[in-house]
Amino acid sequence: MIRNTELFNSFIRNYWKYYIELEKEFQLVSRYVEFTEDNFSTYSVEFLKLYQAVCSEIDVIGKMMASQINNSFNPEDKSNSIYKWWYEIQDSFTYTEEYNDAVKTDSSIERKKIQEVECCFLDTYKIAPWKKFRTETYVAKDKSHRFRLKDKSSIPSWWSDYNKVKHNRTSAVDGDSSKINYSKANLKNVSYAFTALYVLEVSFMEAVGTQNDLEAFADFSRLFVKEARITTEEIDNFFGVF
């Protein structure tokens, strides 16, 4: 992709600012529920509201990113599943991880594909939201091109749970009538969904922002705080322009 200040600024206005607002709402919940792994199973109506909002935004962002890679991809096509838009972006965007070295070297900066990224949530626990998720295209019996999981890959459990919460909220969990899918709107799934959205948005900004754009950017996430920013020039010197 070509670095484009106009596209970067448009993304900040139309997507990133909304992400930051969602973060603020999420952090308010920490007044009542400590954000620790001990509370992963805690669920509530606030988590339900955020879970659905964040996952809906993931779908919106994923389709937008796919349309930037493939001009024929139509974000408004209702047949565009997560398998389809993920196929377009899974090898096209990367996330830059920085390490706490005094001097930046090849070993202090690492560019990873988005399914390999692991983020530290509030300096508490690490989350790899897109781990092992890969899709592929195939030709069906009717000669149409369709999309499916690649061998040895899996769809993120937090996304599967989101769909259960969205479409079958009062259905029993694994046949256990004492527990319904509403319970999947919990701290763990909401944390993973936020991490997944964050990874997508940051990887897009890093792909389209110019050196000046990224150096001037200051509206950082409160959940996932990056170390001191590196410049696009430093990134490109280490890894080459993509």
Side-chain angles (χ1 to χ4, degrees), residues 165-186:
V165 170
K166 180 180 179 181
H167 300 293
N168 302 291
R169 192 171 308 160
T170 58
S171 297
V173 175
D174 300 325
D176 181 358
S177 59
S178 67
K179 197 173 185 180
I180 59 175
N181 284 326
Y182 178 28
S183 65
K184 295 182 181 294
N186 54 43

CSV table of all heavy atoms in Angstrom, one decimal, residues 165-186:
chain,number,residue,atom,x,y,z
A,165,VAL,N,-23.8,-15.3,21.0
A,165,VAL,CA,-24.4,-14.2,21.8
A,165,VAL,C,-25.4,-13.4,21.0
A,165,VAL,O,-26.5,-13.1,21.4
A,165,VAL,CB,-23.3,-13.3,22.5
A,165,VAL,CG1,-24.0,-12.1,23.1
A,165,VAL,CG2,-22.6,-14.1,23.5
A,166,LYS,N,-25.0,-13.1,19.8
A,166,LYS,CA,-25.7,-12.3,18.9
A,166,LYS,C,-27.0,-13.0,18.4
A,166,LYS,O,-28.1,-12.3,18.4
A,166,LYS,CB,-24.9,-11.9,17.7
A,166,LYS,CG,-25.6,-11.0,16.7
A,166,LYS,CD,-24.6,-10.6,15.5
A,166,LYS,CE,-25.3,-9.8,14.5
A,166,LYS,NZ,-24.4,-9.5,13.3
A,167,HIS,N,-26.9,-14.2,18.0
A,167,HIS,CA,-28.0,-14.9,17.4
A,167,HIS,C,-28.8,-15.9,18.3
A,167,HIS,O,-30.0,-16.1,18.1
A,167,HIS,CB,-27.5,-15.7,16.2
A,167,HIS,CG,-26.9,-14.8,15.1
A,167,HIS,ND1,-27.6,-13.9,14.4
A,167,HIS,CD2,-25.6,-14.7,14.7
A,167,HIS,CE1,-26.8,-13.3,13.5
A,167,HIS,NE2,-25.6,-13.8,13.7
A,168,ASN,N,-28.1,-16.4,19.3
A,168,ASN,CA,-28.8,-17.4,20.2
A,168,ASN,C,-28.4,-17.1,21.7
A,168,ASN,O,-27.9,-18.0,22.4
A,168,ASN,CB,-28.3,-18.8,19.8
A,168,ASN,CG,-28.6,-19.1,18.4
A,168,ASN,OD1,-29.7,-19.3,18.0
A,168,ASN,ND2,-27.6,-19.2,17.6
A,169,ARG,N,-28.7,-15.9,22.1
A,169,ARG,CA,-28.3,-15.5,23.4
A,169,ARG,C,-28.9,-16.3,24.6
A,169,ARG,O,-28.2,-16.5,25.6
A,169,ARG,CB,-28.7,-14.0,23.6
A,169,ARG,CG,-28.1,-13.4,24.9
A,169,ARG,CD,-28.4,-11.9,24.8
A,169,ARG,NE,-28.0,-11.3,23.6
A,169,ARG,CZ,-28.5,-10.1,23.1
A,169,ARG,NH1,-29.4,-9.5,23.8
A,169,ARG,NH2,-28.1,-9.7,21.9
A,170,THR,N,-30.1,-16.9,24.4
A,170,THR,CA,-30.7,-17.6,25.5
A,170,THR,C,-30.6,-19.1,25.3
A,170,THR,O,-31.1,-19.9,26.1
A,170,THR,CB,-32.2,-17.2,25.7
A,170,THR,OG1,-32.8,-17.5,24.4
A,170,THR,CG2,-32.3,-15.8,26.0
A,171,SER,N,-29.8,-19.6,24.3
A,171,SER,CA,-29.7,-21.0,24.1
A,171,SER,C,-28.7,-21.6,25.1
A,171,SER,O,-27.8,-20.9,25.6
A,171,SER,CB,-29.1,-21.3,22.7
A,171,SER,OG,-30.1,-20.9,21.7
A,172,ALA,N,-28.9,-22.8,25.5
A,172,ALA,CA,-28.0,-23.5,26.4
A,172,ALA,C,-26.6,-23.7,25.9
A,172,ALA,O,-26.4,-23.9,24.7
A,172,ALA,CB,-28.6,-24.9,26.8
A,173,VAL,N,-25.6,-23.6,26.8
A,173,VAL,CA,-24.2,-23.8,26.4
A,173,VAL,C,-23.9,-25.2,26.5
A,173,VAL,O,-23.9,-25.9,27.5
A,173,VAL,CB,-23.3,-23.0,27.4
A,173,VAL,CG1,-21.8,-23.3,27.0
A,173,VAL,CG2,-23.6,-21.5,27.3
A,174,ASP,N,-23.5,-25.8,25.3
A,174,ASP,CA,-23.2,-27.2,25.2
A,174,ASP,C,-24.2,-28.1,25.9
A,174,ASP,O,-23.8,-29.1,26.6
A,174,ASP,CB,-21.8,-27.4,25.8
A,174,ASP,CG,-20.7,-26.6,25.1
A,174,ASP,OD1,-20.8,-26.5,23.9
A,174,ASP,OD2,-19.8,-26.2,25.8
A,175,GLY,N,-25.4,-27.8,25.8
A,175,GLY,CA,-26.5,-28.7,26.3
A,175,GLY,C,-26.7,-28.5,27.8
A,175,GLY,O,-27.6,-29.2,28.4
A,176,ASP,N,-26.0,-27.6,28.4
A,176,ASP,CA,-26.2,-27.4,29.9
A,176,ASP,C,-27.2,-26.3,30.1
A,176,ASP,O,-27.0,-25.1,29.9
A,176,ASP,CB,-24.9,-27.0,30.5
A,176,ASP,CG,-25.0,-26.7,32.0
A,176,ASP,OD1,-26.1,-26.9,32.5
A,176,ASP,OD2,-23.9,-26.4,32.6
A,177,SER,N,-28.5,-26.7,30.4
A,177,SER,CA,-29.6,-25.7,30.6
A,177,SER,C,-29.4,-24.7,31.7
A,177,SER,O,-30.1,-23.7,31.7
A,177,SER,CB,-30.9,-26.5,30.8
A,177,SER,OG,-30.8,-27.3,31.9
A,178,SER,N,-28.4,-25.0,32.6
A,178,SER,CA,-28.2,-24.0,33.7
A,178,SER,C,-27.3,-22.8,33.2
A,178,SER,O,-27.1,-21.9,34.0
A,178,SER,CB,-27.5,-24.8,34.8
A,178,SER,OG,-26.2,-25.2,34.5
A,179,LYS,N,-26.8,-22.9,32.0
A,179,LYS,CA,-26.0,-21.8,31.5
A,179,LYS,C,-26.3,-21.5,30.1
A,179,LYS,O,-26.5,-22.4,29.2
A,179,LYS,CB,-24.5,-22.3,31.6
A,179,LYS,CG,-23.5,-21.1,31.5
A,179,LYS,CD,-22.1,-21.7,31.8
A,179,LYS,CE,-21.0,-20.6,31.8
A,179,LYS,NZ,-19.7,-21.1,32.1
A,180,ILE,N,-26.5,-20.2,29.8
A,180,ILE,CA,-26.9,-19.8,28.4
A,180,ILE,C,-25.8,-19.0,27.8
A,180,ILE,O,-24.8,-18.5,28.4
A,180,ILE,CB,-28.2,-19.0,28.4
A,180,ILE,CG1,-28.1,-17.7,29.3
A,180,ILE,CG2,-29.4,-19.9,28.9
A,180,ILE,CD1,-29.3,-16.8,29.3
A,181,ASN,N,-25.9,-18.8,26.5
A,181,ASN,CA,-24.9,-18.1,25.7
A,181,ASN,C,-24.6,-16.6,26.2
A,181,ASN,O,-23.6,-16.1,25.9
A,181,ASN,CB,-25.2,-18.1,24.2
A,181,ASN,CG,-25.0,-19.4,23.6
A,181,ASN,OD1,-24.0,-20.1,24.0
A,181,ASN,ND2,-25.8,-19.8,22.6
A,182,TYR,N,-25.6,-16.1,26.9
A,182,TYR,CA,-25.4,-14.7,27.4
A,182,TYR,C,-24.1,-14.7,28.3
A,182,TYR,O,-23.4,-13.6,28.3
A,182,TYR,CB,-26.6,-14.4,28.2
A,182,TYR,CG,-26.6,-13.0,28.9
A,182,TYR,CD1,-25.9,-12.0,28.4
A,182,TYR,CD2,-27.3,-12.8,30.1
A,182,TYR,CE1,-25.8,-10.7,29.1
A,182,TYR,CE2,-27.3,-11.6,30.8
A,182,TYR,CZ,-26.6,-10.6,30.2
A,182,TYR,OH,-26.6,-9.3,30.9
A,183,SER,N,-23.8,-15.8,28.9
A,183,SER,CA,-22.6,-15.8,29.8
A,183,SER,C,-21.3,-15.7,29.0
A,183,SER,O,-20.2,-15.4,29.6
A,183,SER,CB,-22.6,-17.1,30.6
A,183,SER,OG,-22.4,-18.2,29.7
A,184,LYS,N,-21.4,-15.8,27.7
A,184,LYS,CA,-20.2,-15.6,26.8
A,184,LYS,C,-19.8,-14.1,26.6
A,184,LYS,O,-18.8,-13.8,26.1
A,184,LYS,CB,-20.3,-16.3,25.5
A,184,LYS,CG,-20.5,-17.9,25.7
A,184,LYS,CD,-20.6,-18.5,24.3
A,184,LYS,CE,-20.7,-20.1,24.5
A,184,LYS,NZ,-19.5,-20.7,25.1
A,185,ALA,N,-20.7,-13.3,27.0
A,185,ALA,CA,-20.4,-11.8,27.0
A,185,ALA,C,-19.6,-11.5,28.3
A,185,ALA,O,-20.1,-10.7,29.1
A,185,ALA,CB,-21.7,-11.0,26.9
A,186,ASN,N,-18.4,-12.1,28.4
A,186,ASN,CA,-17.7,-12.0,29.6
A,186,ASN,C,-16.4,-11.2,29.4
A,186,ASN,O,-16.0,-10.8,28.3
A,186,ASN,CB,-17.4,-13.4,30.1
A,186,ASN,CG,-16.7,-14.3,29.1
A,186,ASN,OD1,-15.8,-13.8,28.4
A,186,ASN,ND2,-17.1,-15.5,29.0
